[in-house]
């Protein structure tokens, strides 16, 4: 378990599943409205229209309803990226120090042979 606790450990998964749930709920409502002819639809094009309608309606709902989960997910991702950056910087510094030591040893050996 991470130090963030169980609430933030799977923020991306929780946000994605909640977003999909909102879309599926909107799709169900749109299909029911289409079935009872509240929204006039016919054929495959009508079903595609209902899916697009559900996507358009679910987007602003997700934006408003899932702002806290989106902030948690963003925080989790930025923490991971910062950790990756610091590990990369440490690894590069270690490689540079190693190369400098090899260069210094080569210079010392070259100056010892010339004298």
């Amino acid at each position: 378990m991470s130090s963030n606790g169980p609430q933030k450990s799977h923020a991306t998964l929780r946000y994605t599943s909640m977003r999909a749930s909102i879309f599926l709920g909107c799709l169900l409502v749109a299909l029911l409205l289409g079935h009872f002819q509240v929204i006039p639809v016919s054929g495959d094009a009508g079903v595609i229209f209902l899916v697009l309608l559900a996507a358009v309606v679910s987007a602003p709902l997700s934006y408003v309803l899932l702002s806290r989960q989106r902030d948690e997910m963003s925080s989790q991702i930025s923490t991971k990226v910062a950790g990756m950056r610091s590990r990369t910087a440490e690894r590069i510094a270690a490689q540079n120090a190693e190369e400098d030591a090899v260069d210094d040893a080569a210079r010392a050996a070259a100056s010892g042979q010339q004298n």
Side-chain angles (χ1 to χ4, degrees), residues 3-25:
S3 62
N4 292 340
Q7 290 295 337
K8 290 189 179 183
S9 64
H10 299 290
T12 303
L13 179 63
R14 188 171 55 255
Y15 173 77
T16 303
S17 64
M18 292 175 82
R19 180 103 191 245
S21 298
I22 289 173
F23 170 74
L24 291 175

Side-chain angles (χ1 to χ4, degrees), residues 73-95:
M73 180 180 66
S74 173
S75 172
Q76 180 185 23
I77 290 171
S78 65
T79 301
K80 286 183 180 181
V81 168
M84 287 175 22
R85 279 188 182 154
S86 67
R87 286 191 300 275
T88 301
E90 290 170 5
R91 189 171 57 247
I92 290 172
Q95 289 173 348

Side-chain angles (χ1 to χ4, degrees), residues 32-100:
L32 287 173
L33 291 174
H35 177 72
F36 292 113
Q37 296 298 318
V38 175
I39 300 174
V41 293
S42 63
D44 292 336
V47 174
I48 293 172
F49 170 74
L50 293 176
V51 170
L52 291 175
L53 179 66
V56 168
V57 169
S58 69
L61 285 175
S62 295
Y63 183 76
V64 172
L65 297 175
L66 301 179
S67 63
R68 190 182 84 225
Q69 288 80 10
R70 192 172 43 257
D71 291 342
E72 288 176 8
M73 180 180 66
S74 173
S75 172
Q76 180 185 23
I77 290 171
S78 65
T79 301
K80 286 183 180 181
V81 168
M84 287 175 22
R85 279 188 182 154
S86 67
R87 286 191 300 275
T88 301
E90 290 170 5
R91 189 171 57 247
I92 290 172
Q95 289 173 348
N96 287 342
E98 204 174 292
E99 289 174 2
D100 290 345

